[in-house]
């Protein structure tokens, strides 16, 4: 493997690890948000969801930089770790959207429960 290809592979590995780290942190914040929402602590849930969105946005930013460079003609070798990183960001992005909906449903449930009392 020539030096340029090796450097590109190392660069891609570093970006993949950033993506996985930020996406994983987003998943942790989602779990914290859902735990808070289960006890109707929506201030905490909303705060944790904001942190989750910030983390997944950071992961997406790292991925987008690589995609834009490649679209501009900067070729990267295929790596399984980058594919895994892309899969991870896609999965956790879906978890963010689902968690937001679940928290909204719990907010409605709590509001309706208060109205009945």
């Amino acid at each position: 493997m020539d030096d340029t290809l090796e450097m590109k592979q190392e660069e891609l590995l570093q970006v993949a690890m950033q993506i996985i780290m930020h996406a994983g942190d987003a998943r942790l914040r989602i779990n914290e948000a859902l735990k808070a929402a289960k006890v109707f602590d929506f201030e905490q849930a909303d705060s944790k969801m904001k942190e989750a969105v910030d983390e997944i946005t950071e992961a997406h930013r790292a991925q987008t930089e690589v995609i834009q460079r490649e679209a501009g003609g900067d070729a990267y070798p295929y790596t399984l770790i980058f594919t895994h990183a892309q899969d991870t960001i896609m999965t956790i992005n879906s978890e963010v959207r689902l968690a937001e909906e679940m928290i909204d449903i719990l907010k409605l449930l709590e509001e309706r429960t208060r109205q009945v009392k």
Side-chain angles (χ1 to χ4, degrees):
M1 186 180 302
D2 70 31
D3 287 345
T4 304
L5 190 57
E6 207 169 295
M7 284 175 31
K8 287 292 184 188
Q9 193 167 26
E10 180 61 29
E11 181 184 331
L12 205 53
L13 174 64
Q14 294 299 319
V15 173
M17 295 310 294
Q18 284 180 356
I19 292 168
I20 292 167
M21 179 190 69
H22 286 295
D25 287 346
R27 178 175 275 160
L28 291 173
R29 299 299 85 79
I30 291 165
N31 289 335
E32 292 169 348
L34 289 171
K35 283 180 185 176
K38 280 191 230 180
V39 295
F40 303 118
D41 183 353
F42 297 118
E43 187 174 313
Q44 179 73 359
D46 290 343
S47 173
K48 292 299 178 180
M49 283 307 299
K50 183 191 178 319
E51 291 175 22
V53 168
D54 290 347
E55 289 291 346
I56 204 70
T57 299
E58 197 59 34
H60 190 263
R61 183 201 54 75
Q63 174 186 278
T64 300
E65 284 180 15
V66 169
I67 292 169
Q68 287 175 340
R69 279 185 260 161
E70 193 163 48
D74 201 1
Y76 288 92
Y78 171 81
T79 65
L80 186 57
I81 191 80
F82 191 73
T83 300
H84 171 65
Q86 289 181 299
D87 180 53
T88 300
I89 192 174
M90 184 174 60
T91 300
I92 297 173
N93 195 47
S94 292
E95 290 178 18
V96 167
R97 289 192 313 267
L98 285 171
E100 288 171 336
E101 290 298 317
M102 291 170 72
I103 291 168
D104 284 346
I105 290 168
L106 285 169
K107 286 177 180 178
L108 288 170
L109 177 64
E110 195 264 346
E111 181 182 311
R112 296 229 168 108
T113 302
R114 269 190 286 120
Q115 289 173 353
V116 171
K117 289 181 180 180

